[in-house]
Amino acid sequence: MTDETGEQLVYVCPAYEKIWGQNCQDLYDDPSKRLARVHEEDKARVLEAFERQAHTGDYDEIYRIERPDGELRWIRDRAFPVENKDGQVYRLAGLALDITDRIEFNDRISNLQYDINSQDRMSVFATLGTGLAHDLSQPLTAARNFIARARMGFTSNADDTRQTLERADAEISRAVAIIHHLRDFARQGRPTRVYQTLGPIIDDVHQILDPALRANDIRYEGPCSDSLRDLELPVDAVFVQQILRNLLSNSIDAFDEASEKTKTLSIDVVSNNDEYVDIQISDNGPGVDDSIEVFEPFKTTKSEGVGLGLAVSRTLARSHGGDLVLASRGGGAANGDDNGPHTVFTLRLPRHG
């Protein structure tokens, strides 16, 4: 916490020493040392963003720091103003979170190994390959749009152009990661399951799909924090995210754009069983017709779909020793009953490796 100018330090959490590798007293003596450790490639962006956005509460940046021992760490840094009783800003408060482990994980392309024979493995690979190849269209189309925006002069200044191109680069990187993931699956054929916290996996999926939720005016309800506290499962998070992204995207696409009722999509985590954990994805959309076999490959109700998303998702769930089932077809909304049954998919994951 600093004064309203951001120059005089009022308080620093002792955890600063562990993350930055610097003594707290040194920071009290010279508050500029905190941002002095920002990586040279990120420094100008971070300093400019802090000066422009800290007083409005909009400052939220991810950057690298270089510790005195030479180690690089990834930081998510946020700042917001604190007002006194007269409504005047007299402090700037900040929160810095070390997200190095999550960044490194997102860069990891797992060796995907299925414990099945060669023929079944290649059959699953063909299905998974088509599904992931379909997913490539999303980041590549987004990247193309960002690049076109920059080339055609729709950006207002150099910084806007740079940020637009950075977003294009991020989307291309995501597409490359999908390709690498598919390549590794062809080589190994089995998911790499590692005990990891479930909460950040769900949060990352929500962040990816948040623009689509907002664009379609859909209220998202995440899992209760108590259900996620210290909950670790042996999973390949790339696979689990793929499943959740597919289920949430299907729900978003299923909503009637003309509906006047509140659209709701929720994720609940049920963890009261010693053997498995259920992740339930539900929505109050129009439901699934009884005649539709949702897990049958190449069956789809989408005009641009290929009908592989749910089939691949169930295969990925079963590769973990779990399953994916349609627990409720819903349909209450189709009959005008806002309190009627919701469409519910349940992803079951084992607690143990």
Side-chain angles (χ1 to χ4, degrees):
M1 182 175 291
T2 71
D3 65 359
E4 72 278 8
T5 68
E7 297 177 358
Q8 182 177 351
L9 191 65
V10 177
Y11 171 76
V12 59
C13 175
Y16 169 82
E17 296 186 354
K18 180 179 179 181
I19 298 176
W20 258 260
Q22 296 182 151
N23 187 278
C24 287
Q25 188 57 50
D26 292 341
L27 190 61
Y28 280 112
D29 296 338
D30 184 2
S32 67
K33 287 185 176 181
R34 180 176 73 90
L35 294 180
R37 285 290 172 186
V38 176
H39 194 280
E40 287 299 324
E41 295 180 4
D42 301 333
K43 186 172 296 184
R45 167 176 59 86
V46 172
L47 291 175
E48 180 184 351
F50 184 84
E51 292 175 356
R52 185 176 66 250
Q53 300 173 331
H55 284 81
T56 63
D58 296 325
Y59 176 76
D60 188 346
E61 294 290 321
I62 294 177
Y63 56 82
R64 294 161 291 178
I65 62 169
E66 186 172 1
R67 291 160 44 100
D69 59 8
E71 181 184 6
L72 289 178
R73 307 294 294 176
W74 283 91
I75 303 296
R76 181 184 180 189
D77 200 19
R78 288 167 286 178
F80 48 90
V82 179
E83 298 179 349
N84 59 22
K85 62 181 181 180
D86 297 323
Q88 299 173 327
V89 175
Y90 80 113
R91 294 284 189 269
L92 293 179
L95 295 172
L97 179 66
D98 186 345
I99 60 171
T100 305
D101 290 343
R102 291 179 64 182
I103 291 292
E104 290 178 349
F105 161 75
N106 288 332
D107 289 341
R108 177 185 66 88
I109 304 299
S110 303
N111 289 328
L112 312 177
Q113 303 175 337
Y114 277 110
D115 188 16
I116 52 180
N117 63 44
S118 178
Q119 181 177 355
D120 287 343
R121 173 181 164 186
M122 293 310 298
S123 175
V124 172
F125 170 65
T127 304
L128 180 61
T130 306
L132 290 182
H134 179 257
D135 279 356
L136 287 174
S137 65
Q138 295 176 342
L140 291 179
T141 299
R144 184 178 181 181
N145 290 339
F146 286 136
I147 293 172
R149 180 185 175 195
R151 289 181 60 190
M152 297 178 69
F154 292 153
T155 50
S156 58
N157 53 50
D159 287 338
D160 192 14
T161 299
R162 175 180 52 76
Q163 293 174 5
T164 299
L165 293 176
E166 286 178 352
R167 294 177 67 183
D169 182 70
E171 293 293 343
I172 293 172
S173 297
R174 185 156 70 94
V176 171
I178 293 174
I179 294 172
H180 288 175
H181 203 117
L182 185 58
R183 178 203 63 192
D184 291 342
F185 171 78
R187 292 176 177 176
Q188 305 297 333
R190 180 185 300 173
T192 301
R193 299 170 62 194
V194 179
Y195 277 94
Q196 48 198 302
T197 308
L198 185 60
I201 296 175
I202 297 177
D203 289 342
D204 285 347
V205 174
H206 176 216
Q207 290 180 22
I208 292 172
L209 295 178
D210 186 60
L213 291 166
R214 293 178 182 274
N216 290 276
D217 196 25
I218 299 172
R219 185 177 67 190
Y220 171 81
E221 298 176 352
C224 172
S225 58
D226 289 341
S227 66
L228 297 178
R229 185 175 292 117
D230 302 324
L231 180 57
E232 292 189 348
L233 299 177
V235 296
D236 183 313
V238 174
F239 269 174
V240 174
Q241 286 184 349
Q242 183 75 15
I243 298 169
L244 295 178
R245 281 180 55 200
N246 182 67
L247 293 172
L248 266 65
S249 295
N250 284 351
S251 291
I252 293 172
D253 293 341
F255 278 109
D256 182 0
E257 294 182 1
S259 175
E260 297 182 356
K261 71 181 184 63
T262 301
K263 306 173 189 176
T264 303
L265 195 163
S266 64
I267 297 181
D268 295 313
V269 176
V270 181
S271 57
N272 54 8
N273 189 286
D274 293 335
E275 298 299 323
Y276 56 81
V277 169
D278 284 343
I279 305 175
Q280 298 176 340
I281 296 86
S282 63
D283 66 69
N284 63 341
V288 180
D289 191 90
D290 291 339
S291 64
I292 299 176
E293 296 293 337
V294 295
F295 295 108
E296 184 176 350
F298 302 107
K299 296 292 185 180
T300 180
T301 58
K302 300 180 182 179
S303 59
E304 298 180 357
V306 295
L308 284 170
L310 289 174
V312 171
S313 294
R314 185 169 64 175
T315 298
L316 299 183
R318 289 178 175 178
S319 76
H320 284 74
D323 206 351
L324 176 65
V325 299
L326 175 59
S328 170
R329 291 181 175 266
N335 299 318
D337 181 5
D338 289 350
N339 297 317
H342 288 195
T343 303
V344 181
F345 281 88
T346 299
L347 171 61
R348 173 162 293 182
L349 296 171
R351 283 184 174 270
H352 312 292

